[in-house]
Amino acid sequence: MRLRASSQFVVAAIALAIAGPADAQSVKPVATIQIPGTPINQFGSLTIDQESGLGYLADKDNKGVVVFDTKTDTHVSLIAGFVGMAKSGNTSGPNGIVVVNGGAEVWVSDGDSSITVIDTKSGAPKAKIVTGGTARANGMAFDPNSKVVIVANSNDAPPFLSLISTEPDHKIIAKIEIPESGENLERSAYHAPSGTFYTVIPVFRADTTKGLLAQTDPRSGKLVKLHEIEGCHPHSLSIVTDQTIFMGCSNGHGPTPKPGGDMAIFDIASGKVEGSSAGLGGNGGSTINPKLGLYYHATTTAAVVVVDIKSRKLAQKVPTSVEARSLDVSLASGRVYLATTANNGPCAGCIQVFAPE
């Protein structure tokens, strides 16, 4: 049995700024999940296991993974044993989190270039995988068909992607170096129709006005293509339909960097950006609710934008707080969970909960 240590929550008082059609699905703040321990200012991914309803947040300040329950909106536990904050963010962790093998395991990337495999029944680490880098292992995604995880070693020189089997041997199938990257490797997502992963790369070394989108095949262990992304430095992506990827583009590059950014719309069939929406991006995370047909992106300008996937128009813009950039959605309830920092957030480093209205 999993231990569930409950904590009280308080109603968050944040005003909503709503734009778009009147019948668009909107959300409102309803609760916060308080997190014991050192107030959190540095965190990685936030991920929800849709089967169990448990959420996981990479907490660098407390050197562990926060476990919370989306059925009760309460804190459960902290799984310790990670690097925590180092002198450099490039060697800090935990960072990425991905649920694999039907929810039996959670894989967590760390600042020492490793991945810790957590058994979700016991809540305890069961294995450690060394990727062979010198800096942090970062963003991850899972292919349930081939049972392969992709992980980005974003700060090595050159940065590289690893394809790792989730079978008990945890074999590293391939190491794919990306010397074309001018800065970092960011988040990945699995595209089921093509059986390939897509990974966003903010800067193309050969032309710093562009970004890249790497497509890799977990079956062959090879890079399929590097798509050049014009007019966008992508930091996040969500595959919103079989044909379309929404990417969060950052303005924090080039000679005049500034907060915020745009949303780019990538057409998978043509391999090109077919459109963009100004002001709906940044270097925060994103997620989707396919049941409601909505895309959520946590911008770096203290807001969560809600976009209607079909119309590709802004449905709502919800004010949040600076550096609140990791989020996920519970498909069972439609609630959105957003990690906030102690320095800038409303509750000393908590998880804000937004419910459909």
Side-chain angles (χ1 to χ4, degrees), residues 64-139:
V65 175
V66 173
V67 186
F68 61 96
D69 190 344
T70 63
K71 296 176 181 177
T72 57
D73 288 344
T74 54
H75 176 266
V76 175
S77 63
L78 178 77
I79 302 171
F82 294 86
V83 169
M85 283 303 301
K87 291 182 179 180
S88 169
N90 293 348
T91 54
S92 299
N95 300 300
I97 301 178
V98 66
V99 178
V100 309
N101 296 341
E105 297 174 349
V106 170
W107 286 31
V108 185
S109 59
D110 206 358
D112 60 357
S113 192
S114 71
I115 298 170
T116 296
V117 179
I118 296 170
D119 178 90
T120 56
K121 287 185 178 180
S122 66
K126 59 185 285 190
K128 190 167 186 174
I129 305 164
V130 178
T131 66
T134 59
R136 62 175 176 159
N138 200 9

Side-chain angles (χ1 to χ4, degrees), residues 190-349:
Y190 176 66
H191 181 240
S194 66
T196 60
F197 290 110
Y198 285 89
T199 303
V200 285
I201 302 169
V203 180
F204 181 21
R205 183 179 295 276
D207 183 350
T208 57
T209 66
K210 299 178 181 179
L212 294 169
L213 185 62
Q215 184 180 5
T216 50
D217 187 342
R219 295 157 297 186
S220 67
K222 294 181 179 180
L223 178 69
V224 176
K225 189 171 183 179
L226 280 175
H227 302 272
E228 295 183 19
I229 306 300
E230 296 188 8
C232 171
H233 295 292
H235 281 256
S236 68
L237 78 165
S238 287
I239 298 175
V240 298
T241 71
D242 288 351
Q243 298 82 31
T244 308
I245 299 174
F246 286 0
M247 296 185 291
C249 311
S250 172
N251 287 337
H253 302 273
T256 57
K258 57 184 179 180
D262 306 326
M263 182 186 81
I265 302 167
F266 181 83
D267 178 69
I268 293 173
S270 66
K272 296 184 181 298
V273 172
E274 63 176 10
S276 64
S277 297
L280 303 187
N283 65 1
S286 64
T287 189
I288 66 167
N289 186 331
K291 292 182 178 180
L292 299 178
L294 297 173
Y295 164 86
Y296 306 91
H297 177 76
T299 75
T300 45
T301 53
V304 169
V305 296
V306 185
V307 176
D308 182 279
I309 292 172
K310 187 175 181 179
S311 69
R312 303 177 178 181
K313 294 182 179 180
L314 178 68
Q316 183 186 26
K317 192 172 185 179
V318 187
T320 55
S321 56
V322 177
E323 298 299 326
R325 62 183 186 275
S326 294
L327 81 170
D328 202 357
V329 61
S330 165
L331 300 184
S333 66
R335 291 190 168 199
V336 176
Y337 294 80
L338 175 74
T340 68
T341 65
N343 287 344
N344 300 304
C347 46

